Amino acid sequence: MTASNPFLSDSHRGYEWPVHQSLTQGSLPAVGTLKRTIRKLLQASNPTPSTPSTPFSPLKLTENGKTCILFWAKKLIVKLRNHTHVDLTDRAFSPSARVDLKGSSCSEEKAILSLRFGDVADLKGLVISFLLSNTYYESTAQSWFSLDSVHILYNRTKEASFNATQIYAPAVSSYHCQHISSLHKYDTLLEPSSHGDDSLLWHITFIDFQIQAFNVEGGRFSPASDCASFFTPAILMGLLMSLILLLVLAYALHMVLHLKSIEQLDEHRPAVYLESEAESEPGDKGHAGQ
């Protein structure tokens, strides 16, 4: 989408709307049937509450008297490498928050959430923007929304852009993830968009992240589709240890059965020896008489 898009604010003009890497028009989202089933099972067994149980309420964008975007995070931290480290949580979500949502907008297909923090530390005019899209897929007979990219604008003219990967959910749900970050230790769901801007100099992290930009009802989050993967490192380690213990148990059972067979063989050996010895005695006596 070019700069002529009516949803782009002045701060976003001059670059194209990024194409989400894992979603293409008319195709399935980049998630298999198994992964979608696991996500639904996780949602059913441990649903994310529709309203976060924290002191701060979700950030709301309202248009025409109706809430169209909800956003919340337990922690929102940005860091300019080897320089500025800023916790923006209070500025974004506290009752006395000074964040400005100017430039945000929403429709049935596109949404922009623009958080204008003003001057923070030595960063002038800090703005964090989320670009989201909503697409209908015939193969699943439902719409899916995705977070396409996150942008950091600072010092009036400088920008760092991050492409979002695998951040999507059914449009009737909200999306929740324990960590959304550009750091490798958090699976890097936000990747620097290019080497030409300042994105490589920045790290951005959201803890307990939740967002919904479409089909918001009653000003509350819908039940969340969670990013939790079935095969987490802890689960994989547990499966590996279980396999090792199973192999040890199988080897131990094999050795026990082998020892029992040896014992049974030893018990029968004396009887066989005596019987053969008894059969050979008459012959031996006959030879002795001759």
Side-chain angles (χ1 to χ4, degrees), residues 187-215:
D187 296 333
T188 318
L189 292 179
L190 297 176
E191 297 180 348
S193 60
S194 68
H195 298 283
D197 60 13
D198 295 334
S199 56
L200 294 177
L201 302 177
W202 281 87
H203 290 310
I204 181 169
T205 299
F206 303 91
I207 299 177
D208 208 3
F209 173 95
Q210 189 168 2
I211 194 168
Q212 184 173 356
F214 306 95
N215 300 309

Side-chain angles (χ1 to χ4, degrees), residues 240-258:
L240 179 61
M241 293 301 298
S242 299
L243 179 60
I244 293 174
L245 292 175
L246 183 61
L247 292 175
V248 171
L249 178 61
Y251 179 75
L253 289 175
H254 170 73
M255 293 302 297
V256 169
L257 294 175
H258 183 64

Side-chain angles (χ1 to χ4, degrees), residues 77-86 201-205:
I77 300 171
V78 295
K79 181 181 180 181
L80 184 59
R81 187 174 299 176
N82 300 326
H83 195 251
T84 305
H85 180 282
V86 181
L201 302 177
W202 281 87
H203 290 310
I204 181 169
T205 299

Side-chain angles (χ1 to χ4, degrees), residues 105-285:
S105 61
C106 52
S107 71
E108 293 183 357
E109 296 181 353
K110 301 291 183 182
I112 294 177
L113 179 61
S114 183
L115 311 181
R116 298 176 177 270
F117 295 96
D119 297 340
V120 180
D122 55 351
L123 301 173
K124 306 300 181 182
L126 178 63
V127 181
I128 298 179
S129 299
F130 306 83
L131 276 62
L132 304 100
S133 60
N134 184 30
T135 306
Y136 178 79
Y137 294 91
E138 294 182 357
S139 54
T140 60
Q142 65 176 332
S143 296
W144 290 69
F145 84 88
S146 62
L147 174 61
D148 296 322
S149 60
V150 177
H151 302 265
I152 301 176
L153 286 79
Y154 63 103
N155 294 345
R156 313 301 179 188
T157 58
K158 295 186 177 181
E159 179 181 3
S161 302
F162 300 87
N163 289 330
T165 60
Q166 301 183 17
I167 301 179
Y168 47 79
V172 295
S173 305
S174 61
Y175 174 87
H176 174 267
C177 196
Q178 187 62 32
H179 294 98
I180 298 292
S181 177
S182 59
L183 297 174
H184 291 291
K185 66 178 181 179
Y186 295 135
D187 296 333
T188 318
L189 292 179
L190 297 176
E191 297 180 348
S193 60
S194 68
H195 298 283
D197 60 13
D198 295 334
S199 56
L200 294 177
L201 302 177
W202 281 87
H203 290 310
I204 181 169
T205 299
F206 303 91
I207 299 177
D208 208 3
F209 173 95
Q210 189 168 2
I211 194 168
Q212 184 173 356
F214 306 95
N215 300 309
V216 177
E217 298 291 341
R220 297 168 61 90
F221 281 116
S222 299
S225 178
D226 202 280
C227 70
S229 174
F230 182 73
F231 292 106
T232 62
I235 292 177
L236 289 175
M237 183 61 68
L239 291 174
L240 179 61
M241 293 301 298
S242 299
L243 179 60
I244 293 174
L245 292 175
L246 183 61
L247 292 175
V248 171
L249 178 61
Y251 179 75
L253 289 175
H254 170 73
M255 293 302 297
V256 169
L257 294 175
H258 183 64
L259 290 174
K260 284 186 176 181
S261 63
I262 292 176
E263 290 178 357
Q264 292 176 356
L265 184 60
D266 290 341
E267 289 176 357
H268 286 82
R269 277 182 179 176
V272 173
Y273 174 76
L274 292 175
E275 183 178 350
S276 60
E277 189 178 51
E279 291 177 352
S280 63
E281 284 181 357
D284 293 340
K285 291 180 179 180

Side-chain angles (χ1 to χ4, degrees), residues 10-165:
D10 293 338
S11 61
H12 294 96
R13 299 187 185 280
Y15 60 87
E16 295 184 352
W17 190 287
V19 178
H20 194 268
Q21 296 178 352
S22 60
L23 297 177
T24 56
Q25 182 68 31
S27 64
L28 276 171
V31 56
T33 303
L34 176 60
K35 189 171 182 179
R36 293 199 306 274
T37 303
I38 291 172
R39 179 178 284 187
K40 290 180 179 179
L41 290 174
L42 288 170
Q43 177 180 337
S45 61
N46 187 24
T48 302
S50 58
T51 302
S53 56
T54 64
F56 299 152
S57 299
L59 200 61
K60 299 181 180 181
L61 174 65
T62 302
E63 286 192 352
N64 300 321
K66 183 179 179 180
T67 301
C68 60
I69 299 179
L70 291 172
F71 167 62
W72 183 85
K74 187 175 182 179
K75 282 287 184 181
L76 168 52
I77 300 171
V78 295
K79 181 181 180 181
L80 184 59
R81 187 174 299 176
N82 300 326
H83 195 251
T84 305
H85 180 282
V86 181
D87 187 338
L88 299 171
T89 310
D90 289 344
R91 289 176 175 266
F93 303 107
S94 69
S96 59
R98 292 173 289 172
V99 66
D100 184 4
L101 301 183
K102 181 181 178 181
S104 302
S105 61
C106 52
S107 71
E108 293 183 357
E109 296 181 353
K110 301 291 183 182
I112 294 177
L113 179 61
S114 183
L115 311 181
R116 298 176 177 270
F117 295 96
D119 297 340
V120 180
D122 55 351
L123 301 173
K124 306 300 181 182
L126 178 63
V127 181
I128 298 179
S129 299
F130 306 83
L131 276 62
L132 304 100
S133 60
N134 184 30
T135 306
Y136 178 79
Y137 294 91
E138 294 182 357
S139 54
T140 60
Q142 65 176 332
S143 296
W144 290 69
F145 84 88
S146 62
L147 174 61
D148 296 322
S149 60
V150 177
H151 302 265
I152 301 176
L153 286 79
Y154 63 103
N155 294 345
R156 313 301 179 188
T157 58
K158 295 186 177 181
E159 179 181 3
S161 302
F162 300 87
N163 289 330
T165 60

